Amino acid sequence: MEILDSTLREGEQSPEVSFTPEQRLELAIAIDELGVEFIEAGHPAVSEDVFKGIKSVASQGLNAKILAHSRARREDIDLVLRTDASWIGIFFCVSNRCLSKRFHITLEEAVARVVDSIDYAKSHGLKVRFTPEDTTRTEWENLEKVIQAAVQAGVDRISVADTTGVAHPWSFYSLVSRLREFGVPLHVHCHNDMGLALANAIMGIEAGAILVDATVNGIGERTGIVDLAQITTIANYHYGKNYNLEMLPLLSKKLQEITGLRIEKNRPIVGDFAFVHKAGLHVAAVIRDPYFYEFLPPEFFGRNREIFVDKYAGRASLEHYLHRVGIRNEKVVEKLLRRIKSSNMAYTPEMIVEEAKRIEKEVM
Ligand code: HCA
Ligand code: CU
């Protein structure tokens, strides 16, 4: 299983996201340290700035293969060639509805256009991924024609795109299984409009696809695509990969700082609450052995375990904060616990220690 990070292309298509060339390079370097196999660096036809940014990413000598996004037309492919990216991702929609209502061309004309683009890119030394956009809503006969032609033209990878997030994990599994008959390595690109991006991507892998597209914090058009933190963690945990997961919190934070787009506190792995324990029973168990309530230790991700204190707290929660400042008097702990339980407030570590010191004086 491989991963392509598309933060700099799909991610930049999110509302309120726009990278300067410097930010594009900074993000690419950090993403590369995670160890993903591909970085989709952008769509060079968007603007001069995007073009420049992609070029600087492509000339940085990163470990990841650099892919640039392109429409199925020679002018765009020429632009990609000038960025020095070694891979191109060409997309074109061949559903009947796209052909008749958007492009006003026949399937044969569309296939010819795709083949010409692949030929052109290949003859200039690029490796080519072709995406029949909206794959999941495209008629099978049309997919068959365009993919067969693409394979004959020497395409290196086909990407199965659930462009509007309509797939069900089982239907996506069937589609990917069926597409394997063309013998070309498959990628999956899953949108999250119904919250099924990750489930569909996993089913795509189970059906034999070799690569998943993802973005930092899952950003992209509308509700985005697969979250990079989740898919790299799943890749390590369930698929024997070795991505450098310590990069994940840093990447998530960096992107939030650059874009101002904040993630939820309960987001897996990178959210504020991912390694915070609250209920007294949980805390007592976790202090004995974190295994009881953690899937992986926070240190795996360069993060720390935290204990949240309010009326749900137990003695262990308070001792966690008080023992380290030398307060061990059980009466103090008991009294403090009663106070917290009747207060209906959350207590920060500072408040816990201060209140304990006050009680210490009272009981002496
Ligand atoms: C788009 C649509 C796309 C393309 C995917 C691809 C999709 O161009 O914005 O080129 O692999 O979801 O189909 O992101
Ligand atoms: Cu997309």
Side-chain angles (χ1 to χ4, degrees):
M1 168 175 180
E2 299 184 345
I3 290 170
L4 174 146
D5 180 88
S6 187
T7 307
L8 306 174
R9 199 282 296 174
E10 177 77 53
E12 200 179 27
Q13 289 178 223
S14 164
E16 303 183 6
V17 175
S18 171
F19 303 123
T20 64
E22 295 72 32
Q23 290 168 336
R24 189 177 302 274
L25 182 60
E26 185 190 340
L27 281 165
I29 291 169
I31 291 163
D32 193 50
E33 273 185 58
L34 178 63
V36 294
E37 287 78 3
F38 283 87
I39 293 176
E40 184 167 14
H43 188 99
V46 167
S47 76
E48 186 59 30
D49 251 24
V50 174
F51 171 83
K52 269 197 225 146
I54 298 171
K55 198 170 167 70
S56 73
V57 171
S59 61
Q60 187 67 23
L62 300 176
N63 287 318
K65 297 181 263 291
I66 305 302
L67 181 143
H69 200 228
S70 172
R71 287 172 294 186
R73 51 203 278 185
R74 291 187 177 205
E75 308 92 271
D76 278 24
I77 299 168
D78 284 333
L79 261 186
V80 169
L81 286 166
R82 284 176 38 220
T83 65
D84 298 325
S86 52
W87 280 74
I88 186 170
I90 298 172
F91 68 103
F92 197 81
C93 180
V94 297
S95 71
N96 287 339
R97 195 134 150 185
C98 271
L99 295 174
S100 66
K101 296 224 166 78
R102 246 176 111 184
F103 306 133
H104 309 288
I105 57 174
T106 64
L107 178 62
E108 289 63 37
E109 287 167 331
V111 170
R113 183 165 163 181
V114 168
V115 167
D116 179 71
S117 301
I118 296 172
D119 272 343
Y120 189 72
K122 296 273 342 168
S123 69
H124 287 81
L126 290 168
K127 292 274 221 171
V128 181
R129 174 193 74 188
F130 171 65
T131 307
E133 191 189 1
D134 208 2
T135 319
T136 50
R137 293 191 304 186
T138 298
E139 295 74 9
W140 176 257
E141 300 69 32
N142 299 17
L143 286 179
E144 215 173 9
K145 289 221 174 80
V146 78
I147 294 172
Q148 251 159 18
V151 170
Q152 259 167 23
V155 78
D156 297 283
R157 310 268 175 108
I158 294 286
S159 187
V160 186
D162 188 27
T163 305
T164 58
V166 293
H168 182 280
W170 280 123
S171 65
F172 198 70
Y173 179 92
S174 306
L175 177 62
V176 173
S177 307
R178 205 165 171 202
L179 288 167
R180 284 184 67 194
E181 75 185 45
F182 298 102
V184 59
L186 301 174
H187 293 186
V188 293
H189 179 91
C190 300
H191 275 265
N192 206 32
D193 298 73
M194 283 197 255
L196 283 174
L198 182 60
N200 285 331
I202 299 291
M203 290 304 264
I205 290 296
E206 288 301 318
I210 62 159
L211 178 148
V212 173
D213 284 4
T215 59
V216 177
N217 296 340
I219 64 170
E221 285 278 354
R222 308 180 307 280
T223 57
I225 64 168
V226 170
D227 181 325
L228 181 68
Q230 294 168 24
I231 194 68
T232 49
T233 301
I234 291 167
N236 280 17
Y237 198 106
H238 290 294
Y239 293 90
K241 295 289 297 197
N242 199 18
Y243 295 111
N244 179 16
L245 304 182
E246 284 196 20
M247 288 302 295
L248 294 175
L250 191 146
L251 272 170
S252 174
K253 216 185 253 147
K254 197 188 270 295
L255 188 76
Q256 291 180 71
E257 279 164 12
I258 289 176
T259 63
L261 277 189
R262 300 285 159 194
I263 59 165
E264 328 83 270
K265 291 189 177 179
N266 65 352
R267 172 80 62 122
I269 302 144
V270 290
D272 288 352
F273 295 165
F275 299 98
V276 181
H277 302 282
K278 174 170 147 171
L281 274 178
H282 286 226
V283 173
V286 155
I287 284 171
R288 227 164 279 143
D289 185 349
Y291 164 90
F292 292 120
Y293 288 103
E294 284 176 4
F295 78 120
L296 282 172
E299 296 79 29
F300 252 71
F301 306 95
R303 300 195 59 182
N304 296 314
R305 179 171 305 113
E306 286 172 48
I307 309 297
F308 186 86
V309 172
D310 68 5
K311 66 182 178 216
Y312 275 80
R315 274 215 309 280
S317 316
L318 303 186
E319 284 167 359
H320 170 78
Y321 290 109
L322 297 179
H323 283 182
R324 53 170 89 153
V325 294
I327 302 177
R328 295 176 176 276
N329 186 332
E330 280 177 25
K331 276 197 199 122
V332 173
V333 175
E334 276 305 327
K335 204 160 176 191
L336 176 56
L337 189 59
R338 260 179 279 138
R339 233 174 245 188
I340 291 173
K341 279 184 177 291
S342 60
S343 78
N344 237 335
M345 268 170 44
Y347 275 63
T348 63
E350 297 74 40
M351 286 160 73
I352 295 165
V353 172
E354 270 172 36
E355 192 71 13
K357 284 185 176 158
R358 226 170 284 142
I359 296 172
E360 225 176 12
K361 281 190 199 129
E362 288 167 22
V363 298
M364 268 196 210

